[in-house]
Amino acid sequence: MTRLLIVLSMLLMSTACTLARTSTAVAGRGHFEARELPFEGRLFRYQVFVPARRDPSGTPVVLFLHGSGERGDDGRRQLLAGLGPWLEKNADSFPALVVLPQVPQDEEWLGRNARMALAALDAASTEFHADPQRIYLTGMSMGGYGTWELALMQPQRFAALVPVCAAITAPRIGRTTLRVDQVADETDPYTAVATRLRGVPVWMFHGADDTVVPPTDARLIAQAAQRVGADLRYTELPGVGHNAWDPTYRDPAMWAWLFQQRRP
């Protein structure tokens, strides 16, 4: 009887070890981790996507800025559109950290919120050992405006930018706060953007049929970039409306290009 109990105990221990290994393998998938950031008198919540495999010498990191519909203070809505759903579907293979801050309701990626996004990037980069030479910035719609705003604030910071359905000036009278403050006082904001970010690789995407943020500004930025010799490419998606983010983020050529970029 004693020998039987010993054998059973050994079998149970073996099964437990197997289950533990299985559990570790599942837990090792790319996943999101929630974080909080007390910043300039307010508590902000953000998410960090942690890839299944990280480079011990430093993992690339993408800062993602959401659109208007994902604003709030729950720390979750910024996962519902754009890069969040794509990461969920590609959790096993995506090779980079992703930092996903959140703007409060009815606010923009300006002022304190822009500084908060950079602070969240700093915190996550330190915690998860990001590679400072491979820091990338992308955003959609309102977050595309934010992409220009943050890049102009710290042009030396980012290895590459991917603004999606973005613009520089307010797209309509009812949303005058949706703009890029860093060039708001410039006579020619398009040339100012292209000149100040001349050394930063940029790939813009925009739907040709976008009526929410028309592609007018994107075309003017592309023209200005060509005039000043900036490292910028522009893809206008025929037959696509405002949702240019889904075709952009599922484009393997975009990701291949992005991860090839590195700051000297």
Side-chain angles (χ1 to χ4, degrees), residues 169-217:
T169 58
R172 54 192 180 277
I173 296 174
R175 188 75 182 275
T176 56
T177 57
L178 186 56
R179 61 182 185 270
V180 177
D181 271 356
Q182 297 297 313
V183 291
D185 295 330
E186 296 282 350
T187 304
D188 180 356
Y190 311 105
T191 299
V193 167
T195 302
R196 289 168 60 179
L197 297 176
R198 182 168 14 206
V200 183
V202 179
W203 193 348
M204 297 189 303
F205 290 81
H206 215 112
D209 297 342
D210 191 342
T211 57
V212 178
V213 180
T216 308
D217 274 15

Side-chain angles (χ1 to χ4, degrees), residues 8-264:
L8 287 172
S9 176
M10 291 177 65
L11 286 171
L12 287 171
M13 289 176 63
S14 176
T15 302
C17 289
T18 301
L19 289 172
R21 286 195 296 271
T22 302
S23 175
T24 300
V26 171
R29 295 183 73 240
H31 62 283
F32 291 98
E33 295 194 12
R35 293 291 184 269
E36 293 184 344
L37 178 70
F39 185 77
E40 295 187 10
R42 184 165 186 167
L43 181 67
F44 293 89
R45 294 179 174 86
Y46 66 98
Q47 295 279 338
V48 181
F49 175 82
V50 183
R53 290 165 293 280
R54 284 188 277 162
D55 187 337
S57 63
T59 303
V61 57
V62 178
L63 176 60
F64 169 72
L65 306 181
H66 64 76
S68 299
E70 294 74 59
R71 291 178 289 185
D73 59 5
D74 63 347
R76 295 289 304 175
R77 287 184 63 83
Q78 70 268 41
L79 304 182
L80 299 181
L83 195 47
W86 193 89
L87 290 170
E88 290 277 8
K89 293 177 183 177
N90 297 273
D92 291 337
S93 58
F94 194 77
L97 293 159
V98 183
V99 182
L100 304 98
Q102 186 181 31
V103 162
Q105 195 64 45
D106 300 323
E107 297 184 18
E108 315 282 4
W109 290 109
L110 298 173
R112 178 176 61 178
N113 294 328
R115 296 189 296 272
M116 173 274 296
L118 293 169
L121 175 62
D122 288 337
S125 296
T126 299
E127 179 180 359
F128 296 99
H129 308 292
D131 183 346
Q133 293 180 305
R134 294 183 291 168
I135 299 177
Y136 310 104
L137 174 59
T138 183
M140 61 186 219
S141 193
M142 184 185 85
Y145 281 80
T147 298
W148 293 124
E149 182 77 12
L150 270 65
L152 289 163
M153 289 169 64
Q154 295 191 359
Q156 77 290 345
R157 180 75 175 272
F158 300 101
L161 314 175
V162 180
V164 183
C165 52
I168 297 294
T169 58
R172 54 192 180 277
I173 296 174
R175 188 75 182 275
T176 56
T177 57
L178 186 56
R179 61 182 185 270
V180 177
D181 271 356
Q182 297 297 313
V183 291
D185 295 330
E186 296 282 350
T187 304
D188 180 356
Y190 311 105
T191 299
V193 167
T195 302
R196 289 168 60 179
L197 297 176
R198 182 168 14 206
V200 183
V202 179
W203 193 348
M204 297 189 303
F205 290 81
H206 215 112
D209 297 342
D210 191 342
T211 57
V212 178
V213 180
T216 308
D217 274 15
R219 294 167 183 167
L220 291 170
I221 295 168
Q223 292 168 12
Q226 190 172 27
R227 286 196 303 272
V228 303
D231 186 359
L232 183 146
R233 61 175 69 184
Y234 174 47
T235 296
E236 191 166 297
L237 304 167
V240 174
H242 191 49
N243 183 358
W245 50 86
D246 284 341
T248 297
Y249 293 135
R250 66 171 176 251
D251 183 354
M254 185 278 288
W255 291 115
W257 170 85
L258 186 74
F259 293 131
Q260 286 172 358
Q261 312 306 317
R262 180 188 293 264
R263 288 205 64 81

